[in-house]
Amino acid sequence: FLARAIVDEVLPPAFISNRNNSHPGDEVIEKAVSLLSREHCTARLEKIWGPGDGRPVAELKEVIDQLVEEYLLSRELDEAARCVREINAPHFH
């Protein structure tokens, strides 16, 4: 989670570089540093929050934005629910 937050520029890289080894969360930070140190880490980490089938998160966001806009105009809950299932990305439900 930390590594992906840094890739998405939610957290600055300094968040994991300025640490004190006496904190209980150091193991998590060390894992994030390890993930961010790997070759092609950005490309790999960008796929962590996707559906796992290679679709980019940006594409899913666009589909969900369209779905919400359509629902707000039509108020057809059954149709919106069907579209959510069709997206096949359970973590976006």
Side-chain angles (χ1 to χ4, degrees):
F1 183 81
L2 283 177
R4 179 60 196 256
I6 290 169
V7 167
D8 288 343
E9 298 179 348
V10 174
L11 293 172
F15 184 84
I16 60 172
S17 62
N18 299 332
R19 67 190 203 302
N20 180 341
N21 289 332
S22 65
H23 288 60
D26 284 345
E27 196 173 318
V28 173
I29 291 178
E30 288 173 14
K31 179 65 175 175
V33 169
S34 171
L35 288 170
L36 290 165
S37 300
R38 294 180 181 173
E39 188 175 349
H40 307 294
C41 70
T42 301
R44 290 178 182 175
L45 289 169
E46 285 178 342
K47 295 180 187 214
I48 286 178
W49 286 341
D53 63 2
R55 288 181 289 175
V57 173
E59 179 183 312
L60 288 171
K61 286 181 181 179
E62 185 177 323
V63 169
I64 291 170
D65 283 346
Q66 291 171 355
L67 184 153
V68 170
E69 185 177 334
E70 184 177 323
Y71 169 72
L72 291 174
L73 291 172
S74 70
R75 300 289 185 196
E76 292 182 28
L77 184 57
D78 291 339
E79 175 65 13
R82 185 192 63 74
C83 290
V84 167
R85 286 188 300 276
E86 196 174 273
I87 292 169
N88 194 25
H91 61 283
F92 274 77
H93 293 186

